[in-house]
Amino acid sequence: MTDVEPELTTQISVLRDIVSRDHVWPRMATKYGVSNPLPPWKSSLDALCDVLDRSECGTDVLDFKTRRDEEDALTSSTYSALPYPENQLVALAHSLVSHGVIDEAELQQRLAEVRERLER
């Protein structure tokens, strides 16, 4: 197991709530009759990770090795109950909050905006 920064062992309430809802892609795809095995947000997640890995400020905030080590640690511990790629998405959000890229209130607001668009 990798060395985990103390803030990575801290629960983030908004992410804990997401995990507890168990709205994982296989279950949601079945519910809505979607046959694509990958969630529609997976390509955006991959692009975000690529941008973080290549951005000039990314190495000061969250470099590739740190991001991947944290993702591995979080997906095998805190978010192990989630399937891939949900665990990758939540681990990235956790790292972004832990490193101060986004705070919990802003994450909660953005999630509420996405939910509102989906429910229209």
Side-chain angles (χ1 to χ4, degrees), residues 31-32 37 58 75 79 91 105:
K31 179 179 178 178
Y32 294 103
T75 59
Y79 303 115

Side-chain angles (χ1 to χ4, degrees), residues 2 4 18 23-25 38 43 47 59 61 69 72 80 113 117:
T2 63
V4 180
I18 288 171
H23 287 175
V24 295
W25 180 246
L38 290 176
S43 59
T59 57
V61 177
D69 287 349
D72 290 346
S80 62
E113 290 169 4
R117 284 195 310 260

Side-chain angles (χ1 to χ4, degrees), residues 9-104:
T9 60
T10 303
Q11 289 284 325
I12 297 175
S13 62
V14 64
L15 298 177
R16 185 184 61 238
D17 294 345
I18 288 171
V19 172
S20 71
R21 283 191 224 125
D22 198 31
H23 287 175
V24 295
W25 180 246
R27 185 179 325 285
M28 302 315 300
T30 299
K31 179 179 178 178
Y32 294 103
V34 177
S35 60
N36 190 340
L38 290 176
W41 46 262
K42 177 64 171 122
S43 59
S44 295
L45 173 62
D46 291 342
L48 177 59
C49 289
D50 287 345
V51 167
L52 284 170
D53 294 343
R54 291 177 176 82
S55 74
E56 289 183 25
C57 68
T59 57
D60 293 336
V61 177
L62 191 62
D63 63 62
F64 173 79
K65 182 173 179 354
T66 301
R67 182 183 67 74
R68 286 304 315 270
D69 287 349
E70 289 178 6
E71 179 184 320
D72 290 346
L74 288 163
T75 59
S76 67
S77 61
T78 307
Y79 303 115
S80 62
L82 289 175
Y84 175 84
E86 281 88 346
N87 60 4
Q88 180 188 19
L89 177 65
V90 176
L92 177 60
H94 189 124
S95 291
L96 294 175
V97 170
S98 294
H99 288 274
V101 175
I102 186 172
D103 64 30
E104 282 192 70

